[in-house]
Amino acid sequence: MYSVKELSTLAGVSVRTLHYYDQIDLLSPARIAQNGYRQYDDAGLMRLQQILFYKELDFKLKDIKELLDAPGFEQVSALENHWDALLARLARTERLIKTVEDTILHLKGEKEMSKKKLFAAFSEEEQAEYAKEAEKKYDPATVRASNRKWKNYSAEKKQAIMDEGNQVYEDMIAAMPKGPDSPEAQACVERWREHMNYFWTPNLDQLLGLATMYGQSPDFKKNFDAMHPELAEFMREAVALYVASQSK
Amino acid sequence: MYSVKELSTLAGVSVRTLHYYDQIDLLSPARIAQNGYRQYDDAGLMRLQQILFYKELDFKLKDIKELLDAPGFEQVSALENHWDALLARLARTERLIKTVEDTILHLKGEKEMSKKKLFAAFSEEEQAEYAKEAEKKYDPATVRASNRKWKNYSAEKKQAIMDEGNQVYEDMIAAMPKGPDSPEAQACVERWREHMNYFWTPNLDQLLGLATMYGQSPDFKKNFDAMHPELAEFMREAVALYVASQSK
DNA sequence: TATAAACCCTGACGTTGCGTTAATGTCAAG
DNA sequence: CTTGACATTAACGCAACGTCAGGGTTTATA
C-alpha cells in the first residue's frame, strides 16, 4: 500500500496530479482509510505507469481513460491514429522552423522576402497544398515500409535492394535523351527517392542536397561517372525539377 | 473602416477572437462609434496580420504583444529563441513517433520488447541522457552553421569543403592501424559527421545507416575501395562505435 | 411603418491539466 | 504538548478562445 506521497515520488508526479486523476476517475485509490487517506496498491502503480506512458505520447487524459479500458486491438488503432497525428505535427514543426529561419533572415535584411511570401505559408491555398505534400511525404504505407532499417534486412533482401538501386540508375540513363523533365526521368527520381528510404529518412530539401553531392563530391562522382559521364549532372537536374514540382 | 465582422472575414478569424484581442489590449479598434461598435482601420488590419503570423509560429499572445511593441533586434532574438524551442519540439516529436511505432509492434506481438525498454524512454535517466544528446544534436551553433545549404556556397567554398572531406578520409586511412575505437579514428568520425552537415542534416541513427551504405551499396563502395580496400568497412565499424558511445 | 434579418454589444461559463494557495485535520517524534 | 511532516477538500488561476444568454441597432423588405 502506498500513500499519495509515496506513489507520487515513485512515479515522479505531483500529489495534486494524483488528486486530479482520482477526481476525474482516471486512477482511483485501491481503498480509502478511516481517516480519509488514499491508499494505492501495485495495480494502481501499474496503471499510473500506463497513464504516464500514454501521456508522454501526448494523448489527452480523456482518451487515455478510454484506451486503458479498451481491448488490445483498439489500442493499436488508437496508436496508429496518434502516429498519423504526430507525423503531421512533425511536418508542421519542420515548416515552422523554416519560416522562422526565413523571417530571421528577412529581419536581418540578409534576404529579400516580399510580404506576400512572408505570409504565403499561411494562406489557405498554401495550407491545402502543404497538406497534400505532407500526405504524400508521409503516406503511412510508404513510411511504415521504409522505416525499417537497413541492418535488419537479410542478405538476399539487401542484394535485392542494391539491384533495385542499380536498376534505377540504368533506367535514369535510359531516360537521359528525353530530358530531366520527362515523365520517365521524374519517375526514376521518385523511385530513387523511395530507394533512398532504405538507408535513411528522406527529406524533400535534403534530396536536392544529396543529388548535388552525388554530382560534386568526389565520394560519389567517380562512381557515377563510371556508369555514364553525365549521369550525376542529369540526376541533379532531374531531382531539382522534382523537388520544385513537389514543393510548388 | 472595418466592422468586426468585416475584419474577421478579411483575416479569417472569429469575431470572438477580435473581442478577445481587444480585451487583452493586443489589438484595439481605431475608434469606437457612438453606438459602441468597434471600428478598425488598415493599420489594425496590418497588426492583425502580424499577430496571426506569429501565432502561426506558436507564439503565445502575451509574447506577441511584447514582440510587436519591441524594436527589430529584439524580434530577431525572440525568433531565435523560438527557433530553439521548435527544434526541441521537432526532436521530441521524432522520438515520440519512434516510441509509438515500437509500441505498435509490441502490441501486435511482432517484436519482443521488454517492459523495461517500453518505459525506458521516459525514465529520468533516459530523459537526461536524451536531453544531452538532443543538445548535442541540436546545438544552436552547430545547426546554424550547418543549416546553410550547399547550393548557397561559392565555388571556392565548395572546393574547400570537398578538400576537407578528402582530408577526413585520408586521416581515417592513417588511423586504420590504430583500430576503429582509437581516439584518432573516432575523431575522424566526428569530423566526418560534421562534414556531412554540409549536405544534409545528420542524425545519429541515420549516421550508421549511411556508413553501412558506404560499405555496401555499389554507389559508393567502388569509390571507397579506390582509396583503400578496407576503408569502407573500417569506417562502418568506427561509426558504429561512435554511435554506440554517443547514444550510450 | 412595422418587422424580420443581420449585425453589434457585454457578461459569463466551459474547456485542459494541473499549480498554487488556503484552511484544516492526522499522526509520530521529542 | 508542541512541532513537523503528512493528509484532506475547496477554489482560483492560466491560454485562447467557443458558445450561449440577454439585449441593443441598423438595414432591408413587405
Side-chain angles (χ1 to χ4, degrees), chain A residues 58 101 147 169 218-220 223, chain B residues 101 147 169 218-220 223:
Chain A
D58 280 359
E101 287 173 350
N147 234 353
Y169 295 129
D219 286 3
F220 312 89
N223 216 1
Chain B
E101 286 173 350
N147 231 353
Y169 295 126
D219 286 5
F220 314 89
N223 215 4

Side-chain angles (χ1 to χ4, degrees), chain A residues 96-130:
Chain A
L96 292 187
I97 288 172
K98 258 201 243 166
T99 306
V100 168
E101 287 173 350
D102 287 348
T103 307
I104 289 174
L105 289 177
H106 172 68
L107 284 180
K108 282 187 176 170
E110 287 180 23
K111 194 182 177 184
E112 257 316 300
M113 184 166 52
S114 73
K115 231 182 207 168
K116 190 141 193 173
K117 196 185 164 199
L118 189 65
F119 291 101
F122 311 127
S123 74
E124 251 179 86
E125 228 178 315
E126 280 290 326
Q127 287 288 11
E129 195 61 41
Y130 183 75

Side-chain angles (χ1 to χ4, degrees), chain A residues 69-210:
Chain A
D69 300 333
F73 61 90
E74 287 190 27
Q75 298 191 20
V76 170
S77 77
L79 280 168
E80 284 176 344
N81 285 339
H82 195 64
W83 184 81
D84 291 342
L86 284 174
L87 282 183
R89 194 163 84 189
L90 186 71
R92 175 181 148 82
T93 306
E94 283 175 348
R95 187 169 50 97
L96 292 187
I97 288 172
K98 258 201 243 166
T99 306
V100 168
E101 287 173 350
D102 287 348
T103 307
I104 289 174
L105 289 177
H106 172 68
L107 284 180
K108 282 187 176 170
E110 287 180 23
K111 194 182 177 184
E112 257 316 300
M113 184 166 52
S114 73
K115 231 182 207 168
K116 190 141 193 173
K117 196 185 164 199
L118 189 65
F119 291 101
F122 311 127
S123 74
E124 251 179 86
E125 228 178 315
E126 280 290 326
Q127 287 288 11
E129 195 61 41
Y130 183 75
K132 231 179 66 189
E133 194 206 318
E135 197 177 351
K136 197 170 294 174
K137 190 171 173 184
Y138 293 109
D139 171 59
T142 304
V143 181
R144 255 173 219 151
S146 69
N147 234 353
R148 308 185 230 283
K149 298 290 156 36
W150 173 259
K151 58 181 172 179
N152 291 329
Y153 291 118
S154 67
E156 304 85 45
K157 181 74 182 173
K158 286 179 185 171
Q159 187 58 49
I161 290 169
M162 286 190 288
D163 291 346
E164 182 193 299
N166 284 328
Q167 190 59 49
V168 171
Y169 295 129
E170 283 179 26
D171 293 348
M172 187 89 74
I173 291 171
M176 282 174 65
K178 305 196 173 184
D181 58 344
S182 67
E184 288 85 354
Q186 290 298 302
C188 285
V189 172
E190 180 75 36
R191 283 166 57 205
W192 179 71
R193 183 188 182 186
E194 296 212 8
H195 178 248
M196 280 302 143
N197 276 332
Y198 290 117
F199 307 107
W200 64 80
T201 312
N203 171 304
L204 206 56
D205 291 321
Q206 297 173 339
L207 213 60
L208 185 54
L210 183 59

Side-chain angles (χ1 to χ4, degrees), chain A residues 46 56 58 83 92 101 115 122 147 150 162 169 199-200 210 212-214 216 218-220 223, chain B residues 46 56 58 83 92 101 103 115 122 147 150 162 169 199-200 210 212-214 216 218-220 223:
Chain A
M46 296 286 286
E56 188 62 31
D58 280 359
W83 184 81
R92 175 181 148 82
E101 287 173 350
K115 231 182 207 168
F122 311 127
N147 234 353
W150 173 259
M162 286 190 288
Y169 295 129
F199 307 107
W200 64 80
L210 183 59
T212 304
M213 189 178 72
Y214 266 52
Q216 310 211 326
D219 286 3
F220 312 89
N223 216 1
Chain B
M46 297 284 286
E56 188 61 31
D58 281 357
W83 184 81
R92 176 180 146 82
E101 286 173 350
T103 307
K115 232 181 203 168
F122 310 127
N147 231 353
W150 172 259
M162 287 189 288
Y169 295 126
F199 306 106
W200 64 79
L210 183 59
T212 304
M213 189 177 73
Y214 266 52
Q216 309 210 329
D219 286 5
F220 314 89
N223 215 4

Side-chain angles (χ1 to χ4, degrees), chain B residues 121-191:
Chain B
F122 310 127
S123 75
E124 249 180 86
E125 229 178 314
E126 279 291 324
Q127 287 288 10
E129 196 59 40
Y130 182 76
K132 232 179 64 188
E133 193 205 319
E135 198 178 349
K136 197 169 292 173
K137 188 172 174 183
Y138 292 108
D139 171 59
T142 305
V143 181
R144 253 171 219 152
S146 70
N147 231 353
R148 308 187 231 282
K149 300 288 158 36
W150 172 259
K151 58 182 172 181
N152 291 330
Y153 290 119
S154 67
E156 305 83 44
K157 181 73 180 172
K158 285 178 186 173
Q159 187 58 50
I161 290 169
M162 287 189 288
D163 290 346
E164 182 193 300
N166 283 327
Q167 191 59 50
V168 172
Y169 295 126
E170 283 179 27
D171 292 349
M172 187 88 74
I173 290 170
M176 281 174 65
K178 306 199 173 184
D181 58 344
S182 68
E184 289 85 354
Q186 291 297 303
C188 285
V189 173
E190 180 76 36
R191 283 166 57 205

